[in-house]
Amino acid sequence: MTHVIEPALPDDASRLGPLLLRAWLQTYPHREAGIDEEWIREHRGSSATAEGIARWRDFIEAALRDPDLLFCRVVRSEAEAEAGASADTVREIVGVLCGRRGEEVTLGPMYLLNHVRGRGLGDRLMAEFLDWAGGARMRLWVTEYNEGAVRFYRRHGFETTGDRELWQGRLLNVRMTREAASPAGGRDG
């Protein structure tokens, strides 16, 4: 099976909302925090509705119009169709990374489904994002108990700031930033 990273297309919107809900259901259940499937569906299920899909389509179209300000890449899993089926390649979206440029670059969302983690796809996505962002200062929110994600972002130069937010009264997130790269030469006048 091959995995391809490419810009999201407007028709991908119908798959990104459900992908995010599926990723949340895989990633965030946490008994101690009171986060279960019902809570996730209540607070993130809208991403898979017609309205959520329309928001994704709007974002993707805006990213295609202004790729210097908005970034959106998907990971497609490509597998040959089974024998007897069409000779077409089956292309499932298994990951996404988006971001936007403002005073600083904001990373998010970034998700990979569980069955494709550990294959270097996150590193490949991040490399494309870092290339797009250039030397800009970057920030993101990450769920505190998602230790694998915290380690991943640290490996890519992000550090926690100490800022916290309690999303929807239960999901504790911490701010991580990656400082701006020094200009070539490294010294001020």
Side-chain angles (χ1 to χ4, degrees), residues 79-115:
E80 293 300 317
E82 294 181 24
S86 157
D88 294 334
T89 300
V90 177
R91 295 171 53 105
E92 173 191 13
I93 295 177
V94 295
V96 63
L97 191 160
C98 297
R100 60 182 65 238
R101 189 182 309 275
E103 289 182 25
E104 54 192 7
V105 171
T106 302
L107 184 154
M110 180 178 184
Y111 291 104
L112 287 170
L113 295 177
N114 284 348
H115 71 280

Side-chain angles (χ1 to χ4, degrees), residues 153-155 157-162 175-179:
Y153 292 126
R154 280 202 171 114
R155 198 171 72 241
F158 289 83
E159 293 298 328
T160 56
T161 65
R175 171 70 76 193
M176 295 186 83
T177 60
R178 185 175 194 260
E179 294 306 317

Side-chain angles (χ1 to χ4, degrees), residues 9-115:
L9 301 172
D11 287 346
D12 294 331
S14 64
R15 291 178 288 201
L16 284 176
L19 170 91
L20 259 61
L21 178 57
R22 186 173 166 197
W24 268 68
L25 289 167
Q26 290 178 352
T27 305
Y28 295 113
H30 194 270
R31 187 180 352 199
E32 292 79 22
I35 298 173
D36 57 13
E37 180 177 346
E38 181 180 339
W39 188 90
I40 290 169
R41 288 186 183 283
E42 177 184 340
H43 291 90
R44 296 305 298 175
S46 65
S47 67
T49 65
E51 184 179 319
I53 291 167
R55 282 193 304 269
W56 269 110
R57 181 177 294 279
D58 290 346
F59 182 83
I60 292 167
E61 288 172 348
L64 292 170
R65 280 192 310 273
D66 201 346
D68 291 336
L69 291 180
L70 299 172
F71 179 93
C72 192
R73 298 291 185 275
V74 294
V75 179
R76 296 185 199 281
S77 178
E78 296 187 342
E80 293 300 317
E82 294 181 24
S86 157
D88 294 334
T89 300
V90 177
R91 295 171 53 105
E92 173 191 13
I93 295 177
V94 295
V96 63
L97 191 160
C98 297
R100 60 182 65 238
R101 189 182 309 275
E103 289 182 25
E104 54 192 7
V105 171
T106 302
L107 184 154
M110 180 178 184
Y111 291 104
L112 287 170
L113 295 177
N114 284 348
H115 71 280

